[in-house]
Amino acid sequence: MNYITHLNGVFHRFEKDERLKPVHISLYMALFQLWNQQHFSCEFYIRREALMQISKIGSRTTFHKCIKQLSCWGYLKYHPSKRPYPGSKVEMISFQSSYLSNNGHDNTNSGLPSINVKPNKQQDVTRPPNEHEVMAFFKNCNSHFSEAENFYNYYQKTGWKTKNLKPIENWKQAATNWMCRAGKFKPSKDHNQDHLIIDNNKNYDRPL
């Protein structure tokens, strides 16, 4: 997907939609940022607290009203959930084709950067993850979401570096070690337990 073409399309629609207020656009851009971090996947989980902070929305009522309106008005598809984990889901709607049709030509080959929906696996583990990626990984490992929050918050403070101030080369391996230390790791079919260093001493003050 060409994200610049998409943004041109959605801003073109913003301009013509008199129902929108600044809070709607702010929330949409926060969702777009999260969608970008999720490599433009078909749907992804959201956390209200994080989105409210990014979009600068101070009221839960305003947040729920705006996201439901964006869904009703055709900017996205909102799938609310009453369960805190894994939470509600959002499916973003592409405006790339509408922009191309309105302009009468295809800009996808005009030098604009494109995004491949399928992420590179090596980049997936070497770059610092976002909170939603961490939550999904811990869920896949059958670990409690509180462990995911503790892991994410700890390494956010350290800048995703080891105690030797070296960047973490594989955050998924670091997360696996964290779960082992917490004594709550239940490996899935994708994990090889022979490569794990198991330590049941739970100490969040000690870097991995």
Side-chain angles (χ1 to χ4, degrees), residues 125-172:
V125 297
T126 57
R127 62 172 175 76
N130 60 59
E131 188 173 7
H132 300 272
E133 290 173 316
V134 171
M135 289 289 182
F137 182 73
F138 273 68
K139 179 188 177 185
N140 185 55
C141 295
N142 299 319
S143 182
H144 197 268
F145 75 94
S146 62
E147 292 297 332
E149 288 183 331
N150 290 333
F151 171 81
Y152 179 80
N153 292 334
Y154 179 86
Y155 279 101
Q156 275 291 98
K157 292 180 181 179
T158 66
W160 295 94
K161 294 181 180 180
T162 67
K163 62 181 179 181
N164 297 324
L165 300 180
K166 294 182 178 180
I168 293 178
E169 296 181 354
N170 187 325
W171 72 263
K172 289 186 176 179

Side-chain angles (χ1 to χ4, degrees), residues 15-198:
E15 183 180 0
K16 296 180 178 296
D17 195 339
E18 296 182 354
R19 299 168 298 184
L20 292 174
K21 297 181 180 179
V23 67
H24 292 105
I25 298 176
S26 176
L27 178 57
Y28 182 90
M29 295 310 298
L31 287 163
F32 177 83
Q33 173 66 8
L34 180 57
W35 189 31
N36 182 12
Q37 293 172 351
Q38 296 293 323
H39 306 284
F40 300 100
S41 58
C42 294
E43 58 182 20
F44 53 91
Y45 291 101
I46 62 172
R47 294 196 67 203
R48 175 179 49 80
E49 295 83 357
L51 285 171
M52 288 179 62
Q53 182 177 4
I54 297 173
S55 60
K56 306 306 178 185
I57 297 177
S59 167
R60 295 173 58 180
T61 301
T62 301
F63 171 84
H64 288 295
K65 177 182 178 181
C66 287
I67 197 169
K68 289 178 181 178
Q69 288 176 331
L70 287 173
S71 180
C72 181
W73 297 340
Y75 290 93
L76 52 88
K77 294 181 180 179
Y78 176 52
H79 306 286
S81 172
K82 295 182 179 180
R83 301 177 61 183
Y85 183 78
S88 301
K89 289 192 297 184
V90 163
E91 179 182 349
M92 301 292 282
I93 297 176
S94 174
F95 289 90
Q96 178 174 268
S97 59
S98 63
Y99 174 75
L100 296 178
S101 62
N102 289 332
N103 285 270
H105 60 280
D106 190 339
N107 288 330
T108 56
N109 296 320
S110 61
L112 297 176
S114 297
I115 293 295
N116 190 341
V117 174
K118 296 181 179 179
N120 181 282
K121 292 184 178 180
Q122 184 66 20
Q123 293 178 344
D124 187 47
V125 297
T126 57
R127 62 172 175 76
N130 60 59
E131 188 173 7
H132 300 272
E133 290 173 316
V134 171
M135 289 289 182
F137 182 73
F138 273 68
K139 179 188 177 185
N140 185 55
C141 295
N142 299 319
S143 182
H144 197 268
F145 75 94
S146 62
E147 292 297 332
E149 288 183 331
N150 290 333
F151 171 81
Y152 179 80
N153 292 334
Y154 179 86
Y155 279 101
Q156 275 291 98
K157 292 180 181 179
T158 66
W160 295 94
K161 294 181 180 180
T162 67
K163 62 181 179 181
N164 297 324
L165 300 180
K166 294 182 178 180
I168 293 178
E169 296 181 354
N170 187 325
W171 72 263
K172 289 186 176 179
Q173 185 62 57
T176 301
N177 291 340
W178 181 283
M179 286 182 277
C180 290
R181 291 192 177 95
K184 296 182 178 181
F185 178 62
K186 299 178 182 179
S188 65
K189 294 181 181 180
D190 296 331
H191 294 84
N192 187 342
Q193 210 167 5
D194 293 339
H195 297 287
L196 303 179
I197 301 174
I198 298 178

